[in-house]
């Protein structure tokens, strides 16, 4: 089974990225041939600072490795080290109806926010399709917000296969229902673009501050809260703490006598503990930059050896060769 996913180096990674994409991807590395990449071409649609792109790209690599990506099992690489993605993207663009892209929620959301769109942003799902199809990937682990993009990928694969003959494997998204949409501090989807994130590797003070700022209702400590399962802080606690802590906290909230301040303190402690082993590994990686360079270099070589074969297959069927 071939697995592939990508993550943009457009900011600092947060709990939504971790539970929605990184953790499922890391678990899948045990089950198949996994390819994970840092989508630096994609980040160009929103980030125009070269220095920041370099920094974030490196950070994503380090953070992913710290969280448990094992380069002996999964191939980790930087998208732009495999320029074949862009060539395939052009071949797919030319079979892609405009309407398919005009219907994409993530594009429409950005328009609605008043972002003046560039062509890269509009064509984003086509490049994403190329990223996936160029590895003959079967499974794409992502959060719910990327489902439609994987559907566009399926449409483009089928269209290309119909027009030029069987060329691509049609992939499937793998979305874990329990973490499809991790809530941010304001209860909306946690996202870099909403300023509601809790970072994975922030310093203690900053993480405590984000957690203490989680928006709750106005009930006092004494009031029973039988519906607490729905609130943001408890949903996050469910992710970071073990089942017993989660159940006991839920029961205490339902009974009354446990306030939201106490809940947030518990959440902070478990959050901090949860990422302690990864923080330690991250320190080691930061002290060993050559190792990270080597992982990315070897990853790019392995990725390119597959991508160049599939790209040639596509070039041949459409008459470029
Ligand atoms: P952001 O919304 O912060 O810009 P990205 O779009 O870079 O995040 O997402 C990278 C990956 O993390 C994608 O697979 C996405 O589905 C997943 N992801 C991001 N935020 C969340 C969230 N709040 N819940 C679940 N998955 C998420
Ligand atoms: N669009 C994805 C995101 O913003 C990142 C991405 C780019 C991706 N190419 C991909 C994810 C291919 C999975 C497969 O999160």
């Amino acid at each position: 089974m071939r697995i592939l996913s990508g993550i943009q180096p457009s900011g600092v990674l947060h709990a939504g990225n971790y539970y929605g994409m990184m953790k499922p991807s890391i678990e899948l590395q045990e089950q198949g041939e996994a390819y994970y990449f840092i989508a630096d071409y994609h980040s160009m649609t929103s980030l125009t600072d070269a220095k920041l792109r370099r920094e974030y790209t490196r950070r994503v690599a380090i953070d992913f490795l710290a969280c448990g990506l094992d380069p002996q099992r999964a191939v980790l690489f930087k998208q732009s080290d495999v320029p074949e993605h862009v060539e395939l993207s052009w071949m797919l663009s030319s079979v892609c109806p405009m309407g398919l892209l005009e219907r994409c929620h993530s594009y429409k959301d950005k328009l609605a926010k008043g972002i003046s769109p560039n062509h890269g942003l509009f064509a984003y799902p086509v490049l994403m399709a190329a990223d996936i199809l160029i590895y003959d990937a079967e499974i794409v682990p992502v959060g719910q917000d990327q489902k439609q993009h994987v559907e566009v990928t399926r449409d483009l694969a089928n269209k290309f296969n119909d027009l030029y003959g069987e060329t691509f494997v049609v992939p499937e998204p793998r979305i874990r229902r329990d973490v499809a949409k991790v809530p941010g501090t304001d209860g909306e989807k946690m996202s870099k673009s909403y300023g509601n994130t809790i970072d994975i590797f922030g310093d203690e003070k900053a993480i405590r501050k984000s957690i203490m700022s989680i928006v709750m209702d106005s009930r006092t400590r004494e009031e029973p809260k039988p519906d607490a399962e729905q609130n943001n802080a408890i949903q996050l606690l469910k992710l970071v703490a073990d089942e017993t802590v989660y159940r006991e906290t839920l029961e205490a909230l339902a009974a009354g006598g446990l306030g939201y301040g106490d809940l947030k303190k518990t959440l902070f402690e478990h959050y901090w503990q949860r990422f302690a082993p990864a923080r330690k590994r991250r320190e080691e990686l930061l002290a060993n930059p050559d190792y990270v360079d080597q992982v990315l270099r070897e990853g790019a070589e392995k990725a390119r050896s597959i991508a160049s074969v599939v790209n040639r297959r596509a070039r041949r069927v459409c008459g470029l060769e």
Side-chain angles (χ1 to χ4, degrees), residues 151-280:
E151 278 158 7
V152 170
T153 304
R154 292 169 58 86
D155 283 355
L156 294 181
N158 283 320
K159 190 101 195 273
F160 195 96
N161 286 348
D162 285 348
L163 283 167
Y164 291 115
E166 282 305 308
T167 311
F168 297 122
V169 173
V170 182
E172 273 181 32
R174 176 75 59 93
I175 299 166
R176 294 251 300 254
R177 299 241 333 267
D178 50 336
V179 289
K181 193 171 162 189
V182 176
T185 52
D186 58 357
E188 296 299 311
K189 182 201 113 139
M190 188 180 290
S191 170
K192 290 183 278 271
S193 34
Y194 302 157
N196 62 357
T197 55
I198 306 172
D199 295 346
I200 309 175
F201 294 115
D203 68 39
E204 192 170 345
K205 217 169 136 201
I207 290 185
R208 192 190 300 273
K209 194 165 163 229
S210 308
I211 289 180
M212 293 321 271
S213 77
I214 294 175
V215 177
M216 310 294 283
D217 59 60
S218 57
R219 279 176 290 182
T220 62
R221 167 176 288 179
E222 284 66 37
E223 276 176 84
K225 306 166 192 73
D227 53 354
E229 214 163 328
Q230 303 306 324
N231 80 42
N232 310 332
I234 200 87
Q235 283 186 46
L236 290 166
L237 186 69
K238 190 176 184 184
L239 295 173
V240 296
D242 62 33
E243 178 74 19
T244 325
V245 172
Y246 167 68
R247 287 270 151 232
E248 283 172 6
T249 312
L250 205 58
E251 279 161 24
L253 285 166
L258 186 76
Y260 290 139
D262 309 321
L263 167 61
K264 290 178 186 175
K265 276 192 198 123
T266 307
L267 173 59
F268 170 76
E269 273 151 31
H270 286 274
Y271 194 97
W272 190 249
Q273 282 306 317
R274 171 67 184 75
F275 291 106
R279 249 191 327 271
K280 187 161 172 284

